[in-house]
Amino acid sequence: QVQLVQSGAEVKKPGASVKVSCKVSGHTLSELSMYWVRQAPGKGLEWMGGSDREDDETIYAQKFQGRVTLTEDTSIDTAYMELSSLKSEDTAVYYCTTGFTRLPAAHFDFWGQGTLVTVSS
Amino acid sequence: SYELTQPPSVSVSPGQTASITCSGDKLGDKYVCWYQQKPGQSPVVVIYQDNKRPSGIPERFSGSNSGNTATLTISGTQAMDEADYYCQAWDSGTGVFGTGTKVTVL
């Protein structure tokens, strides 16, 4: 069973950057396709980006192009999401998520517990 | 960009059937999955590849997808099914979530 454990809550000032980690256990990160999703308070789910392992290409949602960077350290089975130039609207819970099915049928079987990022001056 | 539209809310009496729609251009040509999210929890997939149920998901959850509309049906709705539901599909390798539907069991 895959488990995803994310880093703790963060408070950042506008204009700063945040880096959230996602530790994989129960499987090898190099065999998984990892994605990131966020949810602003009281709002819906928003897909940020990710990479299908077979394509080995990271795709970002147009909304976050240039501001988000997704990386991985497969030696420690940990994925990272870094978001820069933070604004108050980036206050949200950030989730890492993955599954075994590949595109175009990919779905998210496993989710991290979420990391609350608060952007406030 | 591709959009998926859901009704904001659906109300259902216990034991009755709840249907949640998800609309998008030529959605029937894509695979759709559905996620259930309860307050303070991470989402859980209840339907994938249009109509498949993951192990552990009750049989009362079913899905369909044709034309421009996908539908999640909850038969014999129980109080524990009260949650937010999101459809999700892929458009040119980019993930898209629906706007979300709050299901209330009255």
Side-chain angles (χ1 to χ4, degrees), chain B residues 53-70:
Chain B
R53 269 181 300 105
S55 61
I57 299 301
E59 290 184 10
R60 62 180 180 273
F61 288 89
S62 63
S64 63
N65 182 22
S66 179
N68 294 321
T69 304

Side-chain angles (χ1 to χ4, degrees), chain B residues 53 57-62 73-78 80-81:
Chain B
R53 269 181 300 105
I57 299 301
E59 290 184 10
R60 62 180 180 273
F61 288 89
S62 63
T73 302
I74 311 173
S75 304
T77 307
Q78 299 184 9
M80 68 173 66
D81 301 328

Side-chain angles (χ1 to χ4, degrees), chain A residues 39 47 95 103 106-108 111-112, chain B residues 35 37 42-43 48 86 90 95:
Chain A
Q39 186 171 37
W47 188 87
Y95 295 99
L103 292 174
H107 60 277
F108 308 133
W111 293 72
Chain B
Y35 297 91
Q37 187 182 34
S42 301
Y48 66 96
Y86 297 90
W90 297 90

Side-chain angles (χ1 to χ4, degrees), chain B residues 2 4 22 24-32 50 64-70:
Chain B
Y2 195 77
L4 295 174
C22 173
D25 185 49
K26 297 180 182 177
L27 186 56
D29 294 342
K30 307 176 188 299
Y31 283 116
V32 173
D50 297 339
S64 63
N65 182 22
S66 179
N68 294 321
T69 304

Side-chain angles (χ1 to χ4, degrees), chain A:
Chain A
Q1 184 78 338
V2 176
Q3 290 191 321
L4 306 177
V5 178
Q6 299 182 221
S7 48
E10 303 260 15
V11 179
K12 296 292 183 180
K13 294 192 182 302
S17 297
V18 68
K19 192 169 186 177
V20 178
S21 67
C22 174
K23 169 72 174 175
V24 177
S25 62
H27 209 81
T28 303
L29 175 59
S30 60
E31 296 179 348
L32 297 170
S33 299
M34 188 65 70
Y35 297 93
W36 291 82
V37 173
R38 79 175 186 181
Q39 186 171 37
K43 303 297 184 181
L45 301 175
E46 185 171 32
W47 188 87
M48 298 182 69
S51 60
D52 184 275
R53 186 59 65 185
E54 300 229 341
D55 292 342
D56 202 28
E57 177 188 3
T58 302
I59 295 181
Y60 299 105
Q62 192 171 9
K63 175 177 180 176
F64 301 103
Q65 287 273 5
R67 276 212 307 142
V68 67
T69 305
L70 304 180
T71 56
E72 297 177 349
D73 185 341
T74 54
S75 69
I76 56 172
D77 289 319
T78 302
Y80 302 92
M81 185 284 300
E82 184 169 21
L83 187 62
S84 61
S85 303
L86 290 169
K87 317 166 200 175
S88 58
E89 309 90 270
D90 293 318
T91 294
V93 174
Y94 290 77
Y95 295 99
C96 58
T97 182
T98 188
F100 293 117
T101 311
R102 299 292 179 255
L103 292 174
H107 60 277
F108 308 133
D109 293 299
F110 310 102
W111 293 72
Q113 82 276 20
T115 296
L116 175 61
V117 175
T118 303
V119 183
S120 174
S121 54

